Amino acid sequence: MKKSRAFNFMGFKITIFDPMTQRFYYLILSCLFLCASCAEEKVDEGLKAGDLIFQDLDCGPMCNAIEAVTEGVNGMEFSHCAMVIEEHDTLKVIEAIGDSVQITSMSDFLQRSNKVLAARLKTSNKGLISRAVKYSKSLLGKPYDDVFLLNNDQYYCSELLYESFKVANHGKPVFELEPMTFMDPQTKSYYPVWVDYYHELHCRIPEGKPGLNPGSISRSEKLELLDIKIKP
């Protein structure tokens, strides 16, 4: 009677009767482990701290005006953006919205609109990303920048990302500024919503001033798009 040897593999009992068969099974098991390793490498790790999320808020005429003047990546429309952070082992976002820079739960963020796209900075410098996250948190509570002007210690959504990565990159901008426009590209006249908005603020429309918006950041060549379905 041939000697046999039994062992368990992933919950299955495998019995081997002779050396030749044993070598054959070891070969199969090696292939299985290699395949498992390959599969693990391809598993989507999901969102990470420092990732950016672009959002179409569908907030009416103002959002429409923002989206109309700057197209997002792949022709998409974005009127808001935020950065992913980790708080107590939970992913949240830090954003400039409402009246200040604030931290928002992912569920509350997506409840506004689930029309979102995630992106990640193309860099092997993990320190840069962690520094950007750290600096963004240092701006918590700073006022929202209603007039959309740089260097006034107030922040709008795109400006928060711009400044966070700029500071993290030792003062060198990661994302490019462009002259802002508040005009309808078809009529070359100011959108009525912006005329009313700045009239209430008693400010001149900052046409041509340097700035950026979610659409322009989303098109940055320094970002890679993530094929991730964001869940609350």
Side-chain angles (χ1 to χ4, degrees):
M1 183 175 179
K2 293 181 179 180
K3 294 183 179 180
S4 64
R5 180 185 174 193
F7 64 96
N8 288 314
F9 175 69
M10 296 180 70
F12 295 94
K13 184 177 181 180
I14 297 177
T15 303
I16 297 175
F17 292 94
D18 58 71
M20 184 64 71
T21 307
Q22 181 173 332
R23 286 194 291 272
F24 177 71
Y25 273 105
Y26 281 151
L27 179 61
I28 293 176
L29 293 179
S30 297
C31 291
L32 287 172
F33 279 120
L34 284 173
C35 290
S37 298
C38 291
E40 287 178 2
E41 288 177 3
K42 295 179 181 178
V43 170
D44 191 347
E45 296 180 357
L47 288 174
K48 297 180 179 179
D51 288 347
L52 308 183
I53 305 180
F54 301 95
Q55 187 176 49
D56 179 359
L57 285 178
D58 288 332
C59 66
M62 185 172 288
C63 284
N64 294 339
I66 293 172
E67 294 163 1
V69 296
T70 308
E71 189 178 75
V73 65
N74 297 334
M76 301 178 75
E77 297 181 337
F78 300 118
S79 47
H80 186 56
C81 54
M83 184 192 298
V84 177
I85 63 169
E86 187 172 338
E87 289 267 292
H88 309 297
D89 298 323
T90 301
L91 292 181
K92 300 181 179 182
V93 299
I94 186 166
E95 57 181 344
I97 196 169
D99 59 1
S100 65
V101 176
Q102 54 193 276
I103 292 176
T104 306
S105 70
M106 197 65 72
S107 58
D108 286 345
F109 181 81
L110 294 175
Q111 190 171 6
R112 291 191 213 123
S113 172
N114 60 4
K115 296 179 182 179
V116 294
L117 177 71
R120 182 171 295 155
L121 195 66
K122 295 177 185 176
T123 180
S124 58
N125 186 352
K126 295 182 179 179
L128 189 154
I129 294 176
S130 63
R131 289 194 299 272
V133 171
K134 182 178 180 180
Y135 185 75
S136 70
K137 289 183 178 180
S138 75
L139 300 177
L140 277 172
K142 291 288 185 179
Y144 184 84
D145 189 357
D146 292 312
V147 294
F148 304 110
L149 291 174
L150 302 177
N151 305 317
N152 58 1
D153 204 29
Q154 301 178 20
Y155 300 87
Y156 57 92
C157 66
S158 306
E159 185 182 7
L160 174 65
L161 305 188
Y162 172 80
E163 290 293 343
S164 295
F165 281 96
K166 177 183 174 182
V167 170
N169 200 33
H170 308 297
K172 184 178 179 180
V174 173
F175 303 116
E176 295 182 7
L177 298 175
E178 298 177 355
M180 294 189 296
T181 183
F182 299 81
M183 292 184 176
D184 185 327
Q186 302 298 322
T187 66
K188 307 301 181 183
S189 299
Y190 289 122
Y191 283 98
V193 66
W194 288 125
V195 174
D196 294 340
Y197 178 82
Y198 280 98
H199 177 74
E200 291 182 8
L201 292 176
H202 305 288
C203 294
R204 294 181 61 181
I205 297 176
E207 181 71 19
K209 297 290 185 181
L212 66 175
N213 64 26
S216 66
I217 294 180
S218 75
R219 298 196 320 270
S220 173
E221 295 180 352
K222 295 174 182 176
L223 294 177
E224 59 179 343
L225 305 183
L226 303 178
D227 186 14
I228 295 175
K229 185 175 182 181
I230 304 175
K231 299 179 181 178

